[in-house]
Amino acid sequence: MRASWDEYFMQIAEIVKTRSTCLRRQVGALIVKDNRIITTGYNGAPEGIKHCSDLGSCLRSELKIPSGERHELCRALHAEQNAIIQAAKIGVSTQGATMYVTLQPCVICAKMAINAGIKKIVYKGDYPDELSLNMLNEANVELIKVGGVD
């Protein structure tokens, strides 16, 4: 049976997340326009900065910070942020695009996606951030949740 576009791109996002350097959770994202992948992203530290996987520790885990809180204490950028940044670096518009992500975006990523012109987000896993969903709905970003986390 042939995969739907959403299934196909979500499977690719699952592969992208295997590049993650986060010790707590691997997340993959891709931005698609006209059924063509324009960028991918996974959660990890900025270029030239050591990853938590290199350091062997996670500050957020050490401080027992719950998921969804105190994003500023993380070395990594989120997968969605990296996908949007990559589009900017190579000069490709994300206006009207679809983002596929293995986890519901946090509020920071939601705001970035809204301003990047992302019109549809297909995600897989839940994230404890109701404000994110509220803002995406208010901005008329189409949200589609697909099957659970692997």
Side-chain angles (χ1 to χ4, degrees):
M1 172 127 187
R2 188 175 189 197
S4 70
W5 284 113
D6 285 350
E7 293 166 336
Y8 172 72
F9 290 125
M10 188 57 72
Q11 288 173 9
I12 294 170
E14 287 289 338
I15 293 168
V16 170
K17 85 177 186 181
T18 66
R19 291 283 305 152
S20 170
T21 59
C22 180
L23 298 175
R24 286 178 72 156
R25 176 185 287 134
Q26 292 185 317
V27 180
L30 51 135
I31 300 175
V32 174
K33 204 167 181 181
D34 300 321
N35 288 332
R36 303 285 186 271
I37 298 168
I38 57 174
T39 63
T40 65
Y42 52 87
N43 51 331
E47 289 181 37
I49 305 294
K50 288 185 180 178
H51 297 273
C52 292
S53 60
D54 297 330
L55 298 171
S57 65
C58 169
L59 178 62
R60 291 173 50 80
S61 290
E62 290 171 10
L63 296 175
K64 297 180 178 27
I65 297 170
S67 183
E69 296 179 17
R70 304 293 312 269
H71 298 281
E72 75 279 7
L73 294 177
C74 182
R75 294 181 73 80
L77 290 156
H78 288 186
E80 304 94 320
Q81 294 167 348
N82 273 324
I84 292 167
I85 290 165
Q86 289 305 312
K89 281 180 78 171
I90 63 173
V92 176
S93 173
T94 55
Q95 186 67 42
T98 298
M99 178 180 285
Y100 291 84
V101 63
T102 59
L103 190 68
Q104 172 198 317
C106 73
V107 70
I108 296 167
C109 292
K111 291 185 281 188
M112 289 180 69
I114 291 165
N115 274 4
I118 304 291
K119 293 299 178 196
K120 177 180 170 184
I121 296 176
V122 180
Y123 68 98
K124 196 169 184 181
D126 291 320
Y127 189 72
D129 196 334
E130 196 65 32
L131 181 57
S132 164
L133 297 176
N134 292 342
M135 291 184 84
L136 290 164
N137 283 319
E138 184 178 341
N140 295 315
V141 174
E142 182 182 358
L143 292 170
I144 298 175
K145 182 177 180 200
V146 296
V149 176
D150 289 344

